[in-house]
Amino acid sequence: MFSRSAPTALFRLKFAAATSVPSGHSMSAAASPNSASLPPSKTVRVEIKGRVQGVFFRDWTVENARELGLYGWVRNRRNGSVEAVFSGDPDDVQDMVERRCRVGPPSAVVTGIASFPWNEDPGQGFQRKPTV
């Protein structure tokens, strides 16, 4: 059974081992026996606009993401928005983006949210990053 608390690096290491292709073999032959055993994963970068700074949005995001077992980070942007990367179970990522971040903490007023696919490493755990 998939444990949401497993480190991302360990997951990636297992994925790399499961999909490595021995010399002289095709990719589909090497990956097909193990591909069913890999848990589904989704990673997105999200931009959240509105009154989202100075209302504990980042701390609230860290708490909610950790509750869902997601990996990634959150930070303020100098333009007044909040940016986050969420990675993990596709249903939990969708819940975080569409249900939780669309509303935010009690003092926030979210006026817009945009989500984009993300192919970079989300890092270990879920962290608050410095403003950029």
Side-chain angles (χ1 to χ4, degrees):
M1 177 174 222
F2 174 64
S3 169
R4 290 187 184 158
S5 62
T8 302
L10 180 59
F11 173 77
R12 292 217 162 96
L13 182 61
K14 287 181 179 180
F15 179 78
T19 59
S20 64
V21 180
S23 178
H25 293 83
S26 72
M27 179 64 176
S28 60
S32 61
N34 297 316
S35 61
S37 65
L38 295 175
S41 184
K42 178 179 182 177
T43 304
V44 297
R45 182 179 66 86
V46 179
E47 295 175 6
I48 306 150
K49 296 184 178 183
R51 189 176 68 193
V52 293
Q53 291 189 11
V55 294
F56 300 99
F57 205 104
R58 289 175 296 166
D59 290 339
W60 175 90
T61 300
V62 169
E63 182 180 313
N64 277 266
R66 288 178 179 169
E67 180 182 303
L68 291 171
L70 299 178
Y71 299 100
W73 48 264
V74 62
R75 66 182 170 197
N76 281 344
R77 308 256 331 160
R78 286 193 180 92
N79 67 4
S81 68
V82 168
E83 177 182 33
V85 168
F86 301 113
S87 184
D89 178 83
D91 291 336
D92 291 336
V93 169
Q94 183 172 346
D95 179 39
M96 187 68 194
V97 174
E98 294 300 327
R99 191 174 71 80
R100 299 182 188 214
C101 286
R102 194 164 293 284
V103 176
S107 299
V109 177
V110 176
T111 60
I113 188 165
S115 179
F116 310 93
W118 185 257
N119 295 319
E120 295 180 30
D121 184 3
Q124 297 293 321
F126 199 91
Q127 302 172 32
R128 179 177 159 165
K129 286 183 145 187
T131 300
V132 293

